[in-house]
Amino acid sequence: EDNSSLLYPCVKVPFLPIEKNNNYVLTVVLDLDETLIGFEKEENEDNEDEEYEEEEDIKNMILRPGLYEFLDGLTKLNCELVLFTSSNKNYADNYINEIEKSKKYFKKRLYRENCVLMGSAYVKDLSKLGRDLSKVIIVDNDLACFYLQQENGILIKPFLGNKDEKDMTLNNLLDILSNIIKNKFQDIRIDLEKYENEIKNKVNNN
């Protein structure tokens, strides 16, 4: 029997149903575009059209440096990985499938239809996950996407697909999360505040 509605009365159907044997230490919600992947652009290409993403092709996708080391590292740390994008399902699944073509990482995929529209922003409401927010983080390059739970958010430097081999963002983030987890945090929101300066220096602006 699913007791999700009793534990989270404000959520009728949680995105992540409660599991009896859920022993994940942390649920990590990851954005897709400009967080995990970017796209190689032609010179003088005009990206002003907000729907340009629908025109992208798999062959132009560039994985952010350290992506697989990051995903493998979080998995080894017993994290639950969730992909949450504000793009539509048909578009996003092409790229997620490419990332997962040899190994499945994401416990769940969430899309634009799972977002809350606030003005012109598609907001990812973490309270709908069905998880204890003291053990949830979201990693996104757009602050508006985690507007409702900013204390759970890590704002990551956008990755624009320039094949920058010096981009150490995911490596640095894995180090920070590893330290937090190994120190047996009680509330991830408190620890993210403690690491605020390091996150700004190594994840926001490195």
Side-chain angles (χ1 to χ4, degrees):
E1 182 181 358
D2 185 0
N3 294 319
S4 304
S5 60
L6 298 177
L7 294 172
Y8 302 92
C10 62
V11 181
K12 293 183 179 179
V13 182
F15 294 151
L16 306 174
I18 303 301
E19 299 175 349
K20 292 181 179 179
N21 299 319
N22 181 355
N23 63 345
Y24 293 114
V25 297
L26 185 66
T27 297
V28 182
V29 180
L30 297 167
D31 176 46
L32 182 63
D33 292 333
E34 298 187 12
T35 295
L36 302 184
I37 65 173
F39 294 94
E40 184 176 12
K41 302 294 182 184
E42 300 293 336
E43 291 186 8
N44 301 320
E45 184 175 348
D46 183 5
N47 291 337
E48 292 183 0
D49 181 1
E50 63 182 15
E51 295 299 325
Y52 78 92
E53 63 182 27
E54 309 297 344
E55 306 296 328
E56 300 292 0
D57 189 85
I58 284 289
K59 64 182 177 63
N60 291 325
M61 181 181 77
I62 299 176
L63 302 179
R64 189 166 203 154
L67 174 60
Y68 286 118
E69 292 83 355
F70 178 69
L71 297 176
D72 283 328
L74 291 178
T75 300
K76 290 177 182 177
L77 288 167
N78 198 28
C79 293
E80 177 182 32
L81 304 184
V82 178
L83 196 294
F84 200 163
T85 176
S86 57
S87 298
N88 67 57
K89 185 179 188 300
N90 289 338
Y91 161 81
D93 275 348
N94 290 328
Y95 304 107
I96 303 171
N97 290 340
E98 185 69 14
I99 292 173
E100 294 194 308
K101 62 183 179 182
S102 59
K103 181 178 180 180
K104 181 175 174 60
Y105 289 101
F106 304 113
K107 181 70 176 296
K108 181 77 172 180
R109 300 178 183 184
L110 300 170
Y111 310 92
R112 179 174 294 180
E113 65 194 58
N114 303 112
C115 294
V116 177
L117 185 60
M118 300 180 68
S120 60
Y122 289 96
V123 179
K124 303 166 185 179
D125 185 356
L126 302 181
S127 71
K128 295 186 176 184
L129 293 177
R131 293 287 182 266
D132 180 351
L133 290 182
S134 69
K135 297 181 179 180
V136 176
I137 65 166
I138 180 171
V139 181
D140 204 301
N141 68 289
D142 186 353
L143 180 61
C145 285
F146 52 93
Y147 173 77
L148 293 175
Q149 292 92 16
Q150 296 182 42
E151 66 274 17
N152 292 87
I154 294 179
L155 183 65
I156 195 170
K157 175 185 176 182
F159 176 64
L160 303 178
N162 55 3
K163 294 185 178 179
D164 183 3
E165 296 180 357
K166 296 180 180 179
D167 186 316
M168 296 292 293
T169 306
L170 293 180
N171 303 74
N172 293 339
L173 180 54
L174 179 60
D175 287 342
I176 292 171
L177 294 179
S178 296
N179 288 334
I180 292 175
I181 291 171
K182 289 175 182 178
N183 287 330
K184 298 183 179 180
F185 71 93
Q186 297 299 312
D187 188 328
I188 192 64
R189 296 165 292 192
I190 295 174
D191 285 75
L192 289 183
E193 187 174 1
K194 291 179 181 177
Y195 280 82
E196 181 179 2
N197 289 333
E198 187 172 353
I199 290 172
K200 285 182 178 178
N201 292 330
K202 295 184 177 181
V203 179
N204 298 157
N205 301 309
N206 73 303

